[in-house]
Amino acid sequence: MRRQLRSRRAPAFPYGYRYRLDDQDEVNQNYLADEEEEAEEEAQVMMVPGLEEEEEEEEGKEEEEEREEEGQGQPTGNAWQQKLQIVTEYLWDPEKRMSLARTGQSRSLILVIYFFFYASLAAVITLFLYMLFLAISPYMPTFTEQVKPPGVMIRPFAHSLNFNFNVSEPETWQRYVISLNGFLQGYNDSLQEEMNVDCPPGQYFIQDGDEDEDKKACQFKRSFLKNCSGLEDPTFGYSTGQPCILLKMNRIVGFRPELGDPVKVSCKVQKGDENDIRSINYYPESASFDLRYYPYYGKLTHVNYTSPLVAMHFTDVVKNQAVPVQCQLKGKSIVNDVINDRFVGRIVFTLNIET
């Protein structure tokens, strides 16, 4: 409610009324005080309509926001069309010729930036690899301190290293014969004489010269294996219950048996009665890897190198039961008792010969 302005007229006195000077001064002072109060009230009255208008505007805005929220809770068909239009324009805007908020020019610029970035990255990686290969020799390992002692493997191949066969049933042992024949093709006497040289036994075959120079290899003929060569007995003893098994050491570049003593092979029953294996013949008869086959210079220069072999001919083994066999390497610095790796310096297999 607006306050009413009081009259700004001076107070009226009765006609002919006479008063003293002091009374007139007091009346003037009261009149001025009333004027100031009226001016203040008028200013307040003039400010009130503006405040009321602002309050009305705020109430109107609140009502509009409430209506909009109610409309969002229950979208109309026009609202869905607007959203669909926004998505469509985001995918392709024909006016600005933009797709996914990017023009063709901006996309081309991004592709160019990524191309140069990845090209630079590939160039840096290639440069570092090139520098690395310059520092590494392809002929000799750079770090050999962590090289393990030689591991061993046997031929022929057998599932789980179990040799199970029946002497009277050739189909049970024929696969072993085929495996041995295929493995020994590279040891044929004629091939060894053609490619390799006849080296004096009992000493290292050391070859001086540049590391990229081709090295010669010593002959290891198939005939060195005698009864286990397959030349005299094409069945390698499997037809008579006297099987041959070949053992070889893994190649290690630069390896030499220490103290000039060749590494030897020894086989025995792993667990059980030692009399289950009564006789074993070794070929070569020394049951060792001769020194002339060492050192090995790597496959790039020692191209025709053939690993030396030791053949075990089990001539008298108990029949009709499984016999666990352990063959070990014997020599200086040879490790053959690693529990976690049964192929380092030793190998364990099973013979089960039925009659």
Side-chain angles (χ1 to χ4, degrees):
M1 297 297 293
R2 297 183 180 181
R3 298 174 59 185
Q4 295 180 352
L5 295 177
R6 288 184 293 181
S7 174
R8 299 177 60 183
R9 292 176 302 175
F13 296 95
Y15 179 77
Y17 184 79
R18 299 180 66 180
Y19 52 85
R20 293 177 305 175
L21 181 60
D22 293 339
D23 294 336
Q24 184 65 34
D25 291 338
E26 184 179 356
V27 171
N28 291 337
Q29 290 177 0
N30 293 335
Y31 176 78
L32 293 176
D34 292 340
E35 287 290 331
E36 290 178 359
E37 290 179 2
E38 291 174 357
E40 291 178 1
E41 291 177 356
E42 182 177 3
Q44 291 178 0
V45 171
M46 293 177 65
M47 293 176 61
V48 169
L51 294 174
E52 291 182 352
E53 291 177 357
E54 291 179 359
E55 292 177 356
E56 293 177 357
E57 290 180 358
E58 290 178 358
E59 292 178 356
K61 289 181 180 180
E62 291 178 357
E63 293 177 356
E64 291 179 359
E65 291 177 357
E66 291 178 357
R67 287 195 297 269
E68 290 179 357
E69 292 179 355
E70 293 177 357
Q72 291 177 357
Q74 298 178 353
T76 61
N78 294 332
W80 285 111
Q81 291 179 358
Q82 291 177 358
K83 292 182 179 180
L84 180 61
Q85 184 178 1
I86 292 172
V87 173
T88 305
E89 290 181 355
Y90 176 74
L91 296 175
W92 172 246
D93 189 349
E95 296 180 358
K96 300 180 180 179
R97 302 187 64 83
M98 296 174 60
S99 177
L100 301 178
R102 292 189 181 276
T103 62
Q105 182 179 0
S106 64
R107 292 182 184 278
S108 302
L109 183 60
I110 291 173
L111 291 176
V112 170
I113 293 173
Y114 274 106
F115 172 78
F116 282 104
F117 171 74
Y118 284 111
S120 302
L121 184 62
V124 171
I125 295 175
T126 303
L127 177 61
F128 277 105
L129 288 177
Y130 177 73
M131 296 174 63
L132 176 64
F133 287 133
L134 287 179
I136 296 177
S137 172
Y139 305 101
M140 186 67 64
T142 304
F143 304 101
T144 58
E145 292 82 0
Q146 300 297 327
V147 175
K148 292 183 178 180
V152 297
M153 184 48 66
I154 58 175
R155 296 291 186 276
F157 288 106
H159 180 68
S160 300
L161 298 178
N162 295 323
F163 294 89
N164 301 318
F165 64 93
N166 192 312
V167 175
S168 59
E169 299 178 2
E171 63 275 9
T172 60
W173 48 262
Q174 193 65 38
R175 62 180 182 274
Y176 302 132
V177 175
I178 295 174
S179 176
L180 287 172
N181 271 322
F183 175 72
L184 291 174
Q185 289 301 311
Y187 292 86
N188 288 334
D189 291 11
S190 59
L191 185 62
Q192 288 292 316
E193 292 173 357
E194 178 184 353
M195 297 190 308
N196 298 334
V197 297
D198 188 10
C199 306
Q203 61 184 12
Y204 297 120
F205 186 33
I206 298 176
Q207 305 176 62
D208 298 325
D210 298 334
E211 63 178 4
D212 59 347
E213 183 180 348
D214 290 343
K215 304 296 189 295
K216 297 179 181 179
C218 295
Q219 297 176 2
F220 190 95
K221 297 181 180 180
R222 186 171 180 172
S223 58
F224 293 172
L225 301 177
K226 296 187 177 181
N227 292 338
C228 288
S229 65
L231 301 176
E232 299 177 3
D233 180 7
T235 65
F236 297 92
Y238 284 87
S239 61
T240 59
Q242 299 176 332
C244 287
I245 295 177
L246 310 181
L247 185 145
K248 75 180 190 73
M249 288 196 303
N250 294 341
R251 302 178 183 181
I252 298 179
V253 177
F255 172 75
R256 302 183 195 178
E258 292 189 10
L259 302 179
D261 294 332
V263 179
K264 297 184 178 181
V265 179
S266 175
C267 298
K268 63 179 181 179
V269 178
Q270 184 193 27
K271 294 180 181 180
D273 190 355
E274 294 183 356
N275 294 324
D276 289 346
I277 301 178
R278 290 181 286 269
S279 176
I280 304 176
N281 295 332
Y282 296 94
Y283 306 106
E285 287 81 358
S286 63
S288 64
F289 301 95
D290 197 273
L291 298 179
R292 58 182 164 176
Y293 302 105
Y294 303 98
Y296 171 60
Y297 291 96
K299 63 180 181 180
L300 293 181
T301 56
H302 228 160
V303 180
N304 296 327
Y305 181 85
T306 47
S307 299
L309 305 172
V310 172
M312 293 87 69
H313 191 191
F314 296 89
T315 55
D316 192 358
V317 181
V318 67
K319 305 297 189 297
N320 300 317
Q321 73 176 49
V323 180
V325 182
Q326 177 176 266
C327 294
Q328 293 179 315
L329 300 180
K330 302 287 187 178
K332 184 66 175 178
S333 72
I334 295 297
V335 179
N336 55 23
D337 57 355
V338 179
I339 299 177
N340 297 331
D341 193 341
R342 60 176 182 171
F343 296 103
V344 174
R346 64 169 182 158
I347 191 168
V348 179
F349 55 91
T350 302
L351 289 176
N352 188 3
I353 305 173
E354 298 179 357
T355 57

